[in-house]
Amino acid sequence: MENVTFSLNVNNNHSLLVAPGIQCFTFTNNIAMKVLMIFAYSVVMGTSIVGNTILAVVYFKSRNMKNTVNCCIMNMVFADLLVTLVYMPRMVGRILVGLEWLVEGTPGLVLCIVVSLSQEISICVSILTVVVIAFERFFAVAFPLRLVISKKLSIGLLCGTWLVSLAARSPMFYGVKTVRFRSGELGCFWMHDLSFQTDEARRFYHEFMLVVFYGLPLACITSLYTVIVIFLRRRQDLIDNNTRDLALATNRKVTKMILAVITGVSPLLVVVFSCYTTRRILECVIFL
């Protein structure tokens, strides 16, 4: 992400004049490195589009796939596609043209807000969805004869993940603006001073997001899956051999799911926490 210093001169077109400042991060000017980065983004985008599309087709065509967990997986598929189709093309564009924003006027401002929000909302939705999966698995193991989280309830919860994520990132609606460089080029930035009146408010917001969307979900997921494993281990001593074999097979599936969740969520939390820490250290305006 790019970080620059701004002079807050607002005109009627909602554009700001950029004053010369220190750039905290820039892409390399090495041609070979740019080609490598574009190739890497292209591979990730292609893999994401193909893989998530296949998952969506299988889900919607198979009646047996429409259960609570698979609904949650589809929610994460939509979140992944949001980043792949909206945010990643902008990252490729940044490698090619740098900070320049190519769309002028009101459409450019709207697109700037949508692109900036897409990554942040996708991360929040994915984290909340994993929490919903953890609770669904917990209730399925702790109360095997009761359907605590039904399909309808899961759909409501998953819609709630989008609404909560959108509400949590609502300050970006006020702070993301198209800005005009002194050179005449247009850019797209999140102006924190427009979203928060004071530095204390901005600090409280980032700390709140860190706790609510990263600290608490990680603790909740870890606790729930730990309890699940304990429940499954204890039940093995209370069943006969034939049922034990079936239980072992179920345990293996649950263990694979736990490993998949931990493998998927932990790097995401590490990346997000690293980005958060970098923002706090640099104390610069973040380019999105």
Side-chain angles (χ1 to χ4, degrees):
M1 291 190 175
E2 301 280 355
N3 301 274
V4 293
T5 302
F6 295 91
S7 59
L8 301 180
N9 299 323
V10 184
N11 60 29
N12 295 329
N13 294 325
H14 304 289
S15 295
L16 304 176
L17 187 62
V18 178
I22 300 174
Q23 293 189 354
C24 301
F25 179 83
T26 57
F27 282 120
T28 178
N29 292 323
N30 187 284
I31 300 298
M33 184 60 67
K34 284 188 175 183
V35 171
L36 180 61
M37 294 174 69
I38 293 175
F39 174 77
Y41 270 109
S42 300
V43 170
V44 172
M45 291 172 61
T47 303
S48 175
I49 292 173
V50 173
N52 287 312
T53 301
I54 292 175
L55 284 175
V57 170
V58 171
Y59 174 81
F60 287 110
K61 284 191 174 183
S62 176
R63 294 181 179 179
N64 297 329
M65 295 292 292
K66 293 180 175 61
N67 54 42
T68 302
V69 174
N70 290 335
C71 284
C72 294
I73 293 176
M74 285 307 303
N75 199 51
M76 298 182 71
V77 165
F78 294 142
D80 290 342
L81 287 175
L82 177 64
V83 173
T84 302
L85 299 177
V86 178
Y87 188 76
M88 284 191 178
R90 171 53 183 159
M91 297 304 295
V92 174
R94 283 183 57 207
I95 298 174
L96 295 175
V97 299
L99 294 175
E100 186 176 1
W101 188 254
L102 301 178
V103 185
E104 301 274 350
T106 301
L109 176 61
V110 173
L111 185 60
C112 172
I113 295 174
V114 171
V115 171
S116 301
L117 278 171
S118 63
Q119 182 199 27
E120 304 292 342
I121 291 179
S122 176
I123 292 174
C124 293
V125 167
S126 297
I127 293 173
L128 294 178
T129 303
V130 173
V131 174
V132 173
I133 293 176
F135 273 103
E136 194 280 335
R137 291 292 83 192
F138 169 77
F139 289 129
V141 173
F143 308 100
L145 301 180
R146 290 182 56 188
L147 184 61
V148 179
I149 301 181
S150 63
K151 181 181 176 181
K152 290 184 179 180
L153 178 58
S154 67
I155 293 176
L157 291 174
L158 296 178
C159 291
T161 62
W162 289 90
L163 295 177
V164 171
S165 300
L166 187 61
R169 289 302 183 183
S170 58
M172 296 183 68
F173 281 106
Y174 303 97
V176 174
K177 300 292 182 181
T178 53
V179 301
R180 183 74 62 181
F181 291 92
R182 292 192 182 278
S183 61
E185 296 177 342
L186 198 66
C188 174
F189 293 85
W190 182 8
M191 308 294 296
H192 287 78
D193 290 339
L194 298 180
S195 299
F196 308 102
Q197 297 296 322
T198 63
D199 291 338
E200 289 75 15
R202 180 177 65 177
R203 187 178 302 109
F204 173 80
Y205 172 76
H206 288 301
E207 291 175 352
F208 173 83
M209 292 296 296
L210 181 64
V211 172
V212 172
F213 281 92
Y214 311 122
L216 290 180
L218 182 59
C220 182
I221 293 168
T222 303
S223 301
L224 288 174
Y225 280 121
T226 300
V227 174
I228 289 174
V229 171
I230 293 174
F231 278 167
L232 293 176
R233 294 295 183 184
R234 288 181 177 179
R235 286 179 183 176
Q236 291 181 11
D237 299 331
L238 304 176
I239 56 180
D240 55 36
N241 292 332
N242 292 332
T243 310
R244 183 177 290 107
D245 293 337
L246 181 60
L248 289 175
T250 303
N251 287 356
R252 285 193 291 268
K253 292 182 180 180
V254 173
T255 302
K256 290 180 180 179
M257 176 175 288
I258 293 173
L259 292 175
V261 170
I262 294 175
T263 303
V265 174
S266 296
L268 176 63
L269 294 178
V270 170
V271 170
V272 173
F273 180 77
S274 299
C275 293
Y276 169 83
T277 304
T278 301
R279 292 181 181 185
R280 292 297 306 277
I281 293 176
L282 294 177
E283 291 295 333
C284 296
V285 177
I286 303 300
F287 170 77
L288 297 176

